[in-house]
Amino acid sequence: MSDFAAKKHSGLDGAASRSGRSAGSRLGTGLLYVILGVLAFLQVYPLFWLFLFSLKTNQEVFGASPFALPQDPQWGNYAKAWTQGHINLYFLNSVWYTAAAVFLTIILASFVTFAITRMYWKLNRLVLGLFMIGLMIPLHSTLIPLFSFFKNVGLIDNPLSIILSYTAFNLPLTIMILLGFYQTLPREIEEAAVMDGCSVHRIFFRITLPLTTPVIATTAIINMIYNWNEFVFVNTFINSDRLKTLTVGVNSFVGQYLTDWGAIGATLIISIVPILIAFLVLSNRIVEGMAAGSVKG
Amino acid sequence: MKTVMSNKWAIALYVWPALLLIGCLIYVPLVMTGYYGLMDWNGFAPKRFIGLENYGRLMQDSMFWKSTYHSFLLGIFSTLSLLLYLAVSLVLASRIKGADLFRKIYLIPMLLSSVAIAQLWSKIFDPSNGMINSLLISLGVENPPLWLSDPNIVLFSIFIPIIWQYAGFYIIIYYAALKNVPEEVVEAARIDGASPLQIALRVKLPLISSVFKVTIVLALVGSLKYFDLIYVMTGGGPNHASEVMASYMYGEAFTKYNFGYGSAIGFALLIICLIVTWLIRKLTTSKDDYQY
Amino acid sequence: MSKKKALPILLSAALILILILSGCSSSEPTAKGSGTNAAGGGQTVVKFMHLWPEGSSNAQYKIVDNIIKEYESEHPDVKIQTEILGNDQYRDKIKVLASSNELPDVGMTWSDGFLQPYVEGNLFTPLDDVIDANLKDAFIPGVKESYAVDGKTYGMPLELNISYVFYNKEIFEKYNLAVPKTFEEFKTAVKTLNDNGVIPATVGNKEGWPGSFWFMYLADRIGGPTILTDVIDGKTKFDDPAIVQAATEVQNLVDMNAFEKGNSGLSNDEAKGYFMNEQAAMFLTATWELPNYTTSPDVDQAFKDKIGYFKFPLYDGGKGTDINSYVGGPGVGLFVAENSKVKEAAKDFAAFLVKEWGERSVTEAGVIPATKVDTEGKDLNPMYTEILNDLNGASNVTTYFDTQASPNVAELHHDLVSALFGKQITPQDFVKQTQEALDAER
């Protein structure tokens, strides 16, 4: 009980504790935690489920109860994913395509957003509009034209076609998210910097970029997840096995007539580990960045 | 200030690389899509120019309008669910214990690829062995809903995983925005005796309104061109009951080899997105906002 | 000041650009065309794309891999370069490649409706010369013709699939059911199973084609073995009373609860689960499922022992009076690209693959090949031997309606079958809409 009181004491902006330890507020806090807990369960259960799924046979996957534990855990699914799914081969490709595209997207998007929101020029709204339109084209409309474009510039079966596509297609989204944040940045800091004789580039790299670390971490997470799970571009533009990515490994278990669901589950579990770690690391940057920013501000 | 911040060289340097990239990889395909939309083309036989015939057909294609309607419904639901995401984010961004853990957990579904999500939700929705229906049957419900087979409810069934999947996406954006709100402002309000709810609604919310407006556009445009889960889970069926614009386009272009017509649908989708974005901007822009 | 600072950045940007461009040019030799250029050492490179990844189709993958190795050792000057994709990815990619005229030298195609647009687009090359030279009389009669357009053959078939009703013998015995010979007997069995709380038959209609098996067999039994082919050829209309009758019988079965609930939202794999877990007694599917009931190491032997099969029952008063008339169709076959620069080598390799595939596919992968196989003296599972013998005694094999039809009509057919099973349309609308689509293409 005292433990609960302590928890409540530090809860809810501290204001709750000041406004009295009424039963109502205590109930409210408890209820809030129940709701948050239920939501958390709904969001985390899939990961657990996927893990069970990865240990099942095809027969069990379509068996009576999706809640059931695997009768005889099929660790062999992992071996299969590793050897027949060629995960070892695809893994590094996934990592470096994702990393390169995320880096490129964020730096280019930051450039553009900075130029559009902080600098003075006539066509900024038009240029912004051009990027926004990029958000609206359905992916499958672009496949055939993109293929012939890459063919003409000799980029078929070249990792660059993947990295550049990821970057181009994530730029509009990234710019839009950045935009909302740049608009909340106070201009006073830049004005002071200009007074001190800073150049544009110095302002961008030394002031604006560090100030926007939280949103950069946010967009990095979003970009990373999108690129990591993408397969339409890889499937279309890459021919050589040695250049393909993990998602291709997943799809190689979908057969003409038979699909090996257990192995798919195992591949998915293996492929989710690195991104989960990267997410947890980046996720902390959202808060840290804020702290660092407020020191400067 | 103005002279430094209107350096033409710097602007060009910052904008051109990105512009060049989307020029090649988005605008070239976009123009090509518009061009293919004027053709009778199956994807590889010689093209035949037919002018606006595809668009004429589009206007009278009841299936297209049905799928457009479905896409708009998804757009409305997605936009409404933003409020839910925002509420959760506001709670998490207040100094509640364990917020950090909750925030991380909430993003997990986003990490899963569509293949995994589709599998999970097929297991949830399965008509007799599924998680929901086996529960309902054990509770004595004789004819539980056929979530993905009943044409009257399939569309709403399929919205649930989509909204669930995107929770993390918006929560993380809102969370970062809320964390960006200067601590001094919140502190000042607290000293004035504002309750946490008041701080959330009166202080924080207005400060992140620009982010919120952006997410409205993202949710709407994202929904209008949404494809993944619908394609994997229902394929737009049964009998087109869950068809959306992007899945209809894919079916025409890739399954039925009507690439010309598929391109016209893709182009129409783009136009519809443009109009919607313009309307949203009209409705939400205040004078200091930038155009998007 | 700022201009001076801009210079290094400009330079580095230029450097990146140069890097990118050099990346392009260095990739040029490998990325060129469909790999049709001769590689170093005077070797001919033949690009081959197939859809049997090691993960999902291990047996098929190994057979193809071994055949390639043998071919390469027999032809040291030829190198076979493979690209392997999953089924759906293969279907998508082949279209994109075709649109840029970048097809691999040898690849896989489906018959009839799938192949037609590629032939019309002049993308596949006729293979009659190489078939006559290497594979004369090798194919099961009628299969090769599914890959022919205007008298020329554009594909060499590999697989042949025949649809049967597979059933759980244990469940049948438990309720004293005999294998139904007529549709009336079948209905009685359905009723008995239903009364005992067993799902009589499972079907997944999300994609439509599994339900179409039921419709096609009923059309065959009611309207005679040629009726659906006649529709495609324009000799009969789809709104023929026999076809309406077949569609009505489908809905009668639905009304009797012959199928699991909500089947129009289930994929074939999900529906199959009901049969594999013995919740459903019957499953009308094709011979590609055979390994699951015979040789597959992933399935319980106890389950495999319970599974038998029977031919689709006859319909009282129907025109199709021969139970040895089947619904089936060739699966994938091989094409050679018209613009291949190594056409002769590609043709030779394709013929070699088809020839070698036949016997090995039965013994090693447990599938039915499109080429004739002598079962004498081979240690085969009895179910295979029986089915291969059935095939020899087949009076007719009607190619799947969706395979015969154009992609447009096939898609519509899938949608309509799904709606028919879901009772969202009447049999009359079902035939009317299909006929309209067929008329639109004439």
Side-chain angles (χ1 to χ4, degrees):
Chain A
M1 189 58 214
S2 62
D3 186 54
F4 179 65
K7 194 184 270 175
K8 186 194 68 96
H9 192 75
S10 62
L12 274 180
D13 266 335
S17 52
R18 233 193 357 259
S19 67
R21 299 163 186 201
S22 66
S25 118
R26 192 174 298 177
L27 193 72
T29 315
L31 195 68
L32 195 61
Y33 272 103
V34 169
I35 294 171
L36 287 176
V38 169
L39 285 179
F41 174 77
L42 287 178
Q43 305 295 88
V44 85
Y45 179 75
L47 205 58
F48 175 68
W49 170 85
L50 186 65
F51 179 66
L52 291 185
F53 184 91
S54 73
L55 295 175
K56 291 183 177 182
T57 62
N58 252 9
Q59 226 163 332
E60 280 177 292
V61 162
F62 294 108
S65 170
F67 296 111
L69 300 174
Q71 284 180 333
D72 172 24
Q74 302 286 311
W75 295 104
N77 286 337
Y78 283 85
K80 222 190 256 175
W82 197 260
T83 55
Q84 296 178 5
H86 299 288
I87 287 194
N88 44 344
L89 181 72
Y90 300 142
F91 194 86
L92 274 180
N93 291 336
S94 274
V95 171
W96 92 264
Y97 295 174
T98 301
V102 169
F103 175 78
L104 208 57
T105 311
I106 287 184
I107 193 77
L108 290 181
S110 294
F111 274 151
V112 172
T113 316
F114 180 77
I116 286 173
T117 57
R118 315 312 271 190
M119 301 179 77
Y120 303 94
W121 46 301
K122 277 191 200 134
L123 295 173
N124 61 352
R125 290 178 174 222
L126 177 78
V127 168
L128 181 59
L130 286 178
F131 280 102
M132 292 314 113
I133 289 172
L135 204 62
M136 300 166 192
I137 184 163
L139 173 78
H140 287 96
S141 297
T142 64
L143 281 185
I144 287 183
L146 264 187
F147 185 90
S148 66
F149 175 81
F150 283 131
K151 185 184 116 184
N152 290 332
V153 296
L155 280 182
I156 292 297
D157 208 22
N158 185 319
L160 269 180
S161 63
I162 302 303
I163 294 168
L164 294 181
S165 305
Y166 288 177
T167 307
F169 280 78
N170 285 334
L171 264 178
L173 178 77
T174 311
I175 290 174
M176 277 201 90
I177 298 174
L178 290 179
L179 200 69
F181 284 80
Y182 272 73
Q183 282 169 11
T184 63
L185 284 186
R187 278 180 189 272
E188 293 81 32
I189 308 167
E190 288 152 37
E191 275 162 16
V194 172
M195 297 295 179
D196 291 349
C198 273
S199 72
V200 183
H201 310 303
R202 220 177 142 79
I203 292 176
F204 176 73
F205 283 106
R206 290 293 170 81
I207 297 174
T208 311
L209 267 192
L211 267 179
T212 53
T213 317
V215 66
I216 287 180
T218 307
T219 49
I221 290 172
I222 290 169
N223 267 293
M224 180 181 77
I225 295 171
Y226 279 5
N227 295 345
W228 190 261
N229 288 328
E230 201 283 334
F231 75 87
V232 177
F233 285 146
V234 178
N235 189 60
T236 314
F237 304 140
I238 297 292
N239 303 329
S240 308
D241 213 30
R242 64 185 170 83
L243 296 177
K244 290 185 176 177
T245 61
L246 277 175
T247 44
V248 175
V250 172
N251 286 296
S252 76
F253 289 106
V254 181
Q256 195 186 359
Y257 306 119
L258 301 168
T259 296
D260 192 338
W261 291 106
I264 286 183
T267 316
L268 288 172
I269 285 285
I270 296 174
S271 71
I272 210 169
V273 170
I275 197 157
L276 189 64
I277 293 169
F279 159 63
L280 292 177
V281 171
L282 277 171
S283 175
N284 290 329
R285 297 288 301 171
I286 297 180
V287 189
E288 282 169 23
M290 181 267 309
S294 65
V295 168
K296 281 224 174 72
Chain B
M1 177 78 185
K2 278 242 171 191
T3 43
V4 175
M5 295 306 260
S6 51
N7 179 336
K8 289 226 165 58
W9 275 94
I11 292 171
L13 189 69
Y14 286 1
V15 172
W16 271 112
L19 213 51
L20 200 70
L21 199 60
I22 68 155
C24 289
L25 300 188
I26 292 183
Y27 278 87
V28 168
L30 198 150
V31 171
M32 293 306 276
T33 303
Y35 165 74
Y36 293 149
L38 304 174
M39 301 287 153
D40 177 22
W41 190 39
N42 68 5
F44 32 83
K47 301 181 191 68
R48 192 167 62 86
F49 181 80
I50 53 168
L52 292 175
E53 207 178 298
N54 280 330
Y55 293 93
R57 181 176 153 198
L58 198 71
M59 289 294 151
Q60 290 162 12
D61 184 348
S62 61
M63 203 59 79
F64 170 74
W65 292 112
K66 194 171 159 186
S67 67
T68 310
Y69 169 64
H70 293 162
S71 290
F72 269 96
L73 273 183
L74 176 61
I76 290 167
F77 274 80
S78 305
T79 312
L80 288 178
S81 51
L82 290 180
L83 294 173
L84 180 73
Y85 307 146
L86 187 63
V88 173
S89 312
L90 280 169
V91 171
L92 291 182
S94 64
R95 279 198 230 131
I96 189 168
K97 255 210 157 170
D100 195 43
L101 182 69
F102 281 126
R103 175 173 51 90
K104 284 173 180 162
I105 287 176
Y106 290 161
L107 200 83
I108 285 176
M110 217 193 136
L111 301 176
L112 300 171
S113 64
S114 299
V115 186
I117 294 176
Q119 267 309 302
L120 169 70
W121 285 88
S122 318
K123 296 291 172 295
I124 293 175
F125 284 138
D126 189 282
S128 32
N129 294 338
M131 298 187 191
I132 302 180
N133 280 6
S134 53
L135 202 69
L136 288 177
I137 289 167
S138 71
L139 289 175
V141 180
E142 268 184 33
N143 280 311
L146 304 170
W147 303 102
L148 295 179
S149 326
D150 185 338
N152 298 317
I153 58 172
V154 60
L155 195 65
F156 300 96
S157 306
I158 199 90
F159 286 172
I160 298 170
I162 298 173
I163 285 165
W164 170 83
Q165 176 189 24
Y166 277 95
F169 176 87
Y170 291 105
I171 287 176
I172 199 176
I173 293 178
Y174 292 148
Y175 183 81
L178 288 166
K179 281 291 170 192
N180 228 20
V181 171
E183 199 58 34
E184 307 86 68
V185 184
V186 178
E187 201 54 46
R190 203 185 330 243
I191 290 166
D192 289 347
S195 74
L197 192 68
Q198 281 169 330
I199 292 178
L201 297 180
R202 300 264 171 81
V203 180
K204 291 184 175 175
L205 217 49
L207 281 172
I208 67 159
S209 68
S210 59
V211 174
F212 189 67
K213 285 173 197 166
V214 163
T215 56
I216 292 178
V217 175
L218 287 182
L220 271 172
V221 172
S223 304
L224 288 177
K225 61 169 205 174
Y226 190 81
F227 176 76
D228 285 20
L229 274 188
I230 290 189
Y231 176 69
V232 187
M233 287 184 67
T234 66
N239 201 24
H240 302 288
S242 60
E243 198 81 82
V244 290
M245 281 191 277
S247 65
Y248 188 53
M249 187 230 108
Y250 176 85
E252 286 294 326
F254 280 86
T255 315
K256 293 187 177 175
Y257 292 81
N258 299 326
F259 203 81
Y261 189 53
S263 297
I265 298 171
F267 206 73
L269 170 52
L270 180 96
I271 304 290
I272 291 172
C273 285
L274 265 180
I275 295 171
V276 168
T277 313
W278 181 77
L279 279 176
I280 293 295
R281 197 181 64 84
K282 280 274 158 203
L283 289 174
T284 62
T285 302
S286 49
K287 64 178 179 355
D288 54 318
D289 276 342
Y290 286 86
Q291 180 171 350
Y292 50 78
Chain C
M1 161 110 183
S2 64
K3 265 185 192 173
K4 271 180 196 161
K5 290 243 170 179
L7 204 63
I9 297 180
L10 259 181
L11 277 178
S12 52
L15 198 70
I16 292 172
L17 203 69
I18 289 166
L19 276 176
I20 291 175
L21 289 175
S22 67
C24 307
S25 53
S26 71
S27 72
E28 207 81 39
T30 49
K32 191 130 201 168
S34 43
T36 42
N37 37 353
Q43 259 196 343
T44 311
V45 175
V46 176
K47 273 207 171 184
F48 173 42
M49 203 162 111
H50 74 78
L51 46 69
W52 289 322
E54 200 178 348
S56 65
S57 319
N58 198 263
Q60 284 93 332
Y61 168 85
K62 276 192 191 134
I63 297 172
V64 171
D65 200 44
N66 286 333
I67 295 176
I68 289 173
K69 279 186 191 129
E70 277 165 43
Y71 188 81
E72 283 178 340
S73 70
E74 278 177 34
H75 303 80
D77 56 327
V78 179
K79 169 102 185 74
I80 311 293
Q81 198 182 332
T82 53
E83 180 179 2
I84 309 167
L85 298 160
N87 190 50
D88 294 352
Q89 282 66 49
Y90 184 92
R91 281 176 184 262
D92 280 357
K93 182 152 187 176
I94 200 91
K95 281 163 207 161
V96 176
L97 292 177
S99 74
S100 290
N101 211 355
E102 287 282 308
L103 287 177
D105 301 304
V106 181
M108 284 185 171
T109 174
W110 287 264
S111 65
D112 304 278
F114 182 92
L115 172 118
Q116 189 107 20
Y118 290 87
V119 172
E120 282 164 8
N122 206 21
L123 292 160
F124 293 172
T125 198
L127 299 168
D128 297 282
D129 50 344
V130 63
I131 291 173
D132 285 344
N134 298 298
L135 292 157
K136 214 170 167 64
D137 302 323
F139 295 107
I140 291 169
V143 185
K144 181 174 63 121
E145 285 66 22
S146 287
Y147 294 83
V149 177
D150 296 334
K152 283 183 192 159
T153 315
Y154 292 89
M156 289 187 273
L158 287 169
E159 302 173 302
L160 181 62
N161 303 311
I162 303 291
S163 290
Y164 285 106
V165 184
F166 291 88
Y167 73 109
N168 190 312
K169 289 190 274 194
E170 196 182 68
I171 299 178
F172 266 55
E173 268 160 37
K174 191 171 169 194
Y175 303 112
N176 286 320
L177 293 170
V179 165
K181 289 271 184 291
T182 67
F183 196 62
E184 283 312 307
E185 285 172 29
F186 178 80
K187 280 182 166 173
T188 316
V190 165
K191 209 166 172 319
T192 312
L193 290 166
N194 243 327
D195 291 344
N196 289 289
V198 179
I199 298 168
T202 182
V203 63
N205 270 322
K206 193 174 101 183
E207 290 107 353
W209 58 263
S212 177
F213 285 5
W214 290 90
F215 160 74
M216 287 185 293
Y217 260 123
L218 282 163
D220 174 288
R221 299 303 190 238
I222 296 168
T226 58
I227 186 157
L228 290 175
T229 313
D230 287 347
V231 167
I232 295 288
D233 297 341
K235 288 185 215 154
T236 308
K237 291 268 188 187
F238 201 79
D239 48 15
D240 188 279
I243 294 181
V244 178
Q245 179 72 16
T248 311
E249 285 293 358
V250 165
Q251 289 201 329
N252 288 344
L253 288 177
V254 173
D255 287 340
M256 291 176 71
N257 289 326
F259 308 107
E260 82 281 16
K261 271 184 195 156
N263 62 67
S264 52
L266 295 178
S267 69
N268 183 53
D269 252 20
E270 286 162 342
K272 185 163 70 182
Y274 286 84
F275 186 66
M276 300 296 283
N277 287 289
E278 305 182 52
Q279 288 174 293
M282 292 180 276
F283 183 31
L284 172 54
T285 188
T287 43
W288 60 67
E289 287 289 337
L290 275 176
N292 268 341
Y293 313 137
T294 54
T295 52
S296 167
D298 299 334
V299 183
D300 250 9
Q301 189 57 44
F303 173 78
K304 289 186 222 163
D305 291 341
K306 287 178 199 167
I307 303 306
Y309 76 90
F310 61 82
K311 300 165 187 174
F312 199 89
L314 292 175
Y315 191 88
D316 297 319
K319 283 185 207 149
T321 51
D322 189 350
I323 203 159
N324 289 320
S325 165
Y326 299 95
V327 169
V332 291
L334 295 180
F335 71 82
V336 171
E338 173 69 23
N339 77 333
S340 166
K341 286 175 194 140
V342 289
K343 213 187 265 178
E344 288 317 306
K347 279 182 181 178
D348 190 59
F349 165 68
F352 182 82
L353 181 72
V354 171
K355 211 170 175 179
E356 293 297 313
W357 167 261
E359 210 175 294
R360 292 189 211 187
S361 64
V362 182
T363 53
E364 291 166 35
V367 297
I368 312 286
T371 39
K372 292 177 200 160
V373 176
D374 184 11
T375 54
E376 207 73 22
K378 286 197 186 68
D379 182 27
L380 287 176
N381 184 294
M383 205 186 266
Y384 283 118
T385 325
E386 230 178 294
I387 284 178
L388 287 170
N389 288 340
D390 280 350
L391 217 49
N392 290 335
S395 62
N396 164 61
V397 178
T398 302
T399 304
Y400 299 129
F401 182 73
D402 54 354
T403 310
Q404 289 198 59
S406 72
N408 249 324
V409 174
E411 262 316 286
L412 180 74
H413 179 66
H414 293 156
D415 289 344
L416 291 178
V417 165
S418 184
L420 189 70
F421 274 75
K423 297 209 69 179
Q424 291 139 25
I425 51 168
T426 62
Q428 286 71 27
D429 283 339
F430 173 78
V431 297
K432 186 166 155 265
Q433 290 188 36
T434 314
Q435 187 55 44
E436 280 167 6
L438 286 163
D439 286 341
E441 292 189 352
R442 291 253 144 66

